[in-house]
Amino acid sequence: MQMKKTNVLKLEPKKNYEMLNLIKLFSAYMVVFIHVSFQGTFGSVVVCLARFAVPLFFIISGYFCYDSIKTRNVDKINKKIYSTGRLYFGSILFYVVIISCILRDQIQIKAWLSAGINIPSMIKWLLWNNIPMIEMEHLWFIGALLYCYLFIRVFYKKEKMMKILPFLLIINCVLGEFSIFLNFRVMPIYVTRNAWFCGLPCFAIGYLIREKIVSGKLFFRIQAKTFALFGLMSEIFVLLEANFVGMIDLYLFSLVTAVFFFLCGISYTDDMRKGWRIISKIDTGTIYIIHPVVAIILRIIMQKIVCASEALLLPILTCFVTTVISIVKSRVKMMFRKTNWERK
């Protein structure tokens, strides 16, 4: 007698993805550890293990864009373009203001701006999402996500294209991880770290996972913790890859880790304790955007007080301070919304 298949990942209306939000928070901290890394071998290992984080964010975005694409809801796609574009250019303006305040001297500010604003740099920015100022390099993800939504806006009627996009990861592997075996010259990191060879294919993977779940073609009898275990096990293979090819921006098994952690997040069905539910509401976007400038300010402070443990404490303190700022920002935003609602 055959057992009837049940789709444990079937979406429920107004479902709270608390576990997925916790995984996003963990991933945001991993991004911090990439840019504000620990020293020595331990730091290198953490950076390698953290490479799953950005693909995971793209997968999540593609997953939750499924309804807009499937129903051809142009207004919703336009809203995503507007909100992402506002976040992107607002973040750039934020960094220009903050770095200008840190430099203070007008000559230094002009030199900083002129070093990044030139025709070759602008072409790389527009084509490869490579922001010319090193302090803003991490914002490539938001720019790439904006390109993903713009791409979807143009081709939203051609849904079959989503099945082709993941194959762009082959180009990423050829130009990145496999280039050492194919005797290719070393490519600049921005050639693989962009919307075309990282963002869109991972975005499409998230979309396709959602499509299979909604259509009932994807069934799992595996619990969320098993997906998490598979994700942790795939990180072992990431370290093996790193041992062979060295430090690169994206490992093949980092993608596997991202998929397993994502499946863990959407398949978790148990009730979560109140403390974890509160933590899951922390805004990871704020942590992602502000962590480099927070690290710069913390480094200046720690150098002035001559902190002997700067290398160890800086990544941890950056995570802590950005989290506090994120919580305060959310609380202030909520207070303003409440005030405006009461006035109405």
Side-chain angles (χ1 to χ4, degrees):
M1 183 177 176
Q2 281 191 338
M3 289 182 67
K4 187 179 178 181
K5 291 180 179 179
T6 55
N7 189 351
V8 297
L9 296 183
K10 191 74 176 177
L11 290 181
E12 297 173 4
K14 297 183 180 179
K15 178 177 177 180
N16 292 320
Y17 292 93
E18 292 164 343
M19 177 56 75
L20 186 60
N21 288 336
L22 287 175
I23 291 171
K24 282 172 61 180
L25 180 61
F26 173 69
S27 301
Y29 291 149
M30 291 296 102
V31 172
V32 174
F33 293 150
I34 290 174
H35 300 135
V36 191
S37 56
F38 297 98
Q39 285 190 345
T41 305
F42 175 73
S44 299
V45 168
V46 172
V47 169
C48 292
L49 295 175
R51 292 298 182 187
F52 75 89
V54 172
L56 175 64
F57 287 130
F58 281 120
I59 291 170
I60 292 169
S61 300
Y63 183 84
F64 287 106
C65 198
Y66 171 83
D67 288 341
S68 302
I69 300 169
K70 202 69 179 176
T71 58
R72 297 184 179 179
N73 191 333
V74 177
D75 289 339
K76 208 165 185 180
I77 297 171
N78 287 341
K79 283 181 182 179
K80 289 181 183 293
I81 292 170
Y82 174 74
S83 60
T84 307
R86 188 176 62 177
L87 180 66
Y88 184 46
F89 293 108
S91 299
I92 291 171
L93 180 61
F94 167 78
Y95 269 88
V96 169
V97 172
I98 293 296
I99 298 299
S100 297
C101 291
I102 292 172
L103 294 175
R104 285 182 287 184
D105 183 72
Q106 287 189 355
I107 296 173
Q108 287 185 324
I109 294 169
K110 286 180 180 178
W112 175 66
L113 290 172
S114 60
I117 302 174
N118 52 67
I119 293 174
S121 297
M122 297 303 287
I123 292 172
K124 284 193 290 186
W125 185 3
L126 290 172
L127 185 60
W128 302 113
N129 311 118
N130 184 53
I131 298 181
M133 286 82 165
I134 192 170
E135 296 85 359
M136 303 184 219
E137 272 190 344
H138 68 294
L139 297 178
W140 78 268
F141 164 74
I142 306 175
L145 185 59
L146 176 61
Y147 277 25
C148 289
Y149 290 134
L150 288 168
F151 183 90
I152 294 304
R153 176 62 182 85
V154 175
F155 297 104
Y156 71 94
K157 292 182 181 179
K158 302 184 183 296
E159 297 168 28
K160 291 182 180 179
M161 189 179 290
M162 299 300 282
K163 295 179 181 179
I164 302 171
L165 291 177
F167 290 100
L168 290 172
L169 287 170
I170 295 172
I171 300 175
N172 188 307
C173 291
V174 169
L175 297 178
E177 185 170 1
F178 298 159
S179 62
I180 190 172
F181 304 112
L182 299 172
N183 292 321
F184 284 1
R185 67 184 181 88
V186 178
M187 292 287 180
I189 195 169
Y190 59 78
V191 175
T192 55
R193 190 184 65 181
N194 50 63
W196 316 118
F197 305 137
C198 180
L200 276 170
C202 292
F203 187 94
I205 288 171
Y207 171 92
L208 293 171
I209 290 173
R210 175 72 182 271
E211 183 181 58
K212 295 296 182 184
I213 293 169
V214 172
S215 65
K217 293 178 181 178
L218 189 60
F219 296 94
F220 290 98
R221 300 184 186 282
I222 302 174
Q223 293 183 340
K225 59 185 178 184
T226 308
F227 282 127
L229 181 61
F230 285 162
L232 293 173
M233 288 173 63
S234 67
E235 289 285 69
I236 297 171
F237 290 97
V238 169
L239 294 179
L240 292 174
E241 286 181 86
N243 186 53
F244 279 110
V245 301
M247 299 285 286
I248 59 172
D249 193 63
L250 181 62
Y251 299 99
L252 188 60
F253 271 94
S254 295
L255 292 166
V256 177
T257 301
V259 171
F260 278 133
F261 282 171
F262 173 71
L263 293 175
C264 169
I266 62 173
S267 64
Y268 188 86
T269 56
D270 297 338
D271 290 331
M272 200 170 278
R273 291 183 180 179
K274 185 179 178 181
W276 288 114
R277 288 204 303 271
I278 293 170
I279 293 171
S280 72
K281 293 177 182 177
I282 295 173
D283 177 23
T284 54
T286 301
I287 295 171
Y288 184 91
I289 290 166
I290 70 172
H291 74 268
V293 75
V294 168
I296 290 170
I297 295 168
L298 286 174
R299 186 177 282 113
I300 292 169
I301 294 170
M302 294 173 84
Q303 285 174 352
K304 284 188 176 182
I305 62 175
V306 192
C307 180
S309 305
E310 178 188 334
L312 177 63
L313 290 176
L314 186 60
I316 298 169
L317 281 176
T318 302
C319 288
F320 176 74
V321 173
T322 52
T323 302
V324 171
I325 292 171
S326 178
I327 293 169
V328 171
K329 179 194 164 190
S330 296
R331 292 285 175 88
V332 171
K333 198 173 179 180
M334 200 184 291
M335 284 171 59
F336 273 109
R337 283 180 179 175
K338 188 177 179 181
T339 304
N340 290 334
W341 183 81
E342 287 175 350
R343 285 176 181 175
K344 290 179 182 178

